Amino acid sequence: MMTGNAPLQPTRLEMPDADVVYFPAIFSTEECLRYFQSLSQVIQWTQDAITMYGRKIYTPRLTAWYGDSGTKYTYSGIAKTAIPWTSELLQIKERLEPLSNTVFNSVLLNLYRDGNDSVAWHSDNEPELGTNPTIGSVSFGETRRFQFKHKQAANRRISIALTDGSFLLMRGPTQHHWVHQVPKSKSKINERINLTFRVIY
Ligand SMILES: O=C(O)CCC(=O)C(=O)O
Ligand SMILES: [Mn+2]
């Protein structure tokens, strides 16, 4: 007989031309708190800027790139070389891999300081991710809205709240047919850390 709380079941999102699964809570409340605190302190967060028409435009969030040595990645025109894994990042990665059937070799981290921080519509379709990338996205801290929009039918949208300790797995043709974003929020909200684990070829 099962004792204690039944584990929260994963849900497959109803999205054509995509393969997206949401796991509501793969980390305990205690683990969430511990990971949130240590990642906010230990990770080498930076705010990137791109120059447009001679003006510096800062990314509206802090980011960092960790992974196997030699992994390189270009994101919105910004070239990054991976910082070596920390023991915590490896622990988190090991938790996700059996759920994803994938061995990740790098992670892009985002720190959303408040509701003014965001990520604009994009797909994770950089050439170094390969054709049908598997992307494993973990969230700690404040719940933020995550929206999908179909590229060929822009009125086709879906929105999901990414809660503390949740895991969103995007696979197959998802990045070909859908863009995603984390919009700004007008409410007074706390920080959120997101980790998107990836395989770089
Ligand atoms: O913060 C999130 O949930 C998404 C981040 C994202 O889409 C990215 O880093 O590519
Ligand atoms: Mn993305």
Side-chain angles (χ1 to χ4, degrees):
M1 205 174 89
M2 286 256 302
T3 52
N5 294 331
L8 293 163
Q9 290 304 311
T11 355
R12 177 135 194 227
L13 303 195
E14 279 184 35
M15 292 168 61
D17 315 317
D19 181 357
V20 181
V21 183
Y22 179 65
F23 301 73
I26 65 161
F27 295 97
S28 69
T29 314
E30 250 162 48
E31 288 173 318
C32 287
L33 202 62
R34 182 159 54 78
Y35 283 132
F36 181 86
Q37 283 172 346
S38 86
L39 292 171
S40 49
Q41 284 162 20
V42 171
I43 296 300
Q44 297 177 41
W45 298 106
T46 56
Q47 188 172 17
D48 290 324
I50 50 165
T51 305
M52 258 173 116
Y53 307 110
R55 278 186 56 195
K56 268 195 149 180
I57 316 272
Y58 285 93
T59 306
R61 65 192 178 280
L62 308 185
T63 59
W65 173 245
Y66 282 71
D68 292 1
S69 70
T71 13
K72 287 197 179 65
Y73 189 41
T74 308
Y75 184 78
S76 309
I78 302 157
K80 290 182 176 267
T81 303
I83 302 169
W85 294 109
T86 66
S87 56
E88 240 137 20
L89 288 173
L90 286 174
Q91 273 173 25
I92 298 170
K93 174 171 122 69
E94 279 163 19
R95 186 76 71 91
L96 312 182
E97 286 177 340
L99 303 172
S100 317
N101 278 321
T102 299
V103 176
F104 297 107
N105 64 11
S106 52
V107 62
L108 177 67
L109 294 99
N110 293 296
L111 172 59
Y112 301 84
R113 294 159 294 182
D114 57 29
N116 282 317
D117 276 355
S118 58
V119 65
W121 289 119
H122 69 281
S123 21
D124 298 327
N125 60 359
E126 288 76 12
E128 50 270 62
L129 294 172
T131 316
N132 281 333
T134 295
I135 299 188
S137 168
V138 177
S139 296
F140 294 118
E142 186 69 75
T143 297
R144 292 290 297 255
R145 203 127 276 286
F146 187 88
Q147 299 172 327
F148 284 104
K149 182 167 76 176
H150 198 288
K151 289 189 196 179
Q152 290 87 33
N155 59 347
R156 186 143 218 171
R157 285 174 180 239
I158 187 162
S159 165
I160 178 165
L162 297 184
T163 57
D164 195 19
S166 70
F167 178 49
L168 185 77
L169 182 60
M170 300 187 273
R171 285 188 293 213
T174 310
Q175 307 301 326
H176 294 277
H177 299 290
W178 296 80
V179 286
H180 54 267
Q181 73 165 356
V182 175
K184 293 184 193 304
S185 164
K186 289 213 165 64
S187 325
K188 193 170 161 17
I189 55 170
N190 287 322
E191 291 174 314
R192 164 176 182 261
I193 292 175
N194 170 260
L195 303 87
T196 57
F197 286 84
R198 297 150 187 256
V199 183
I200 296 293
Y201 294 97

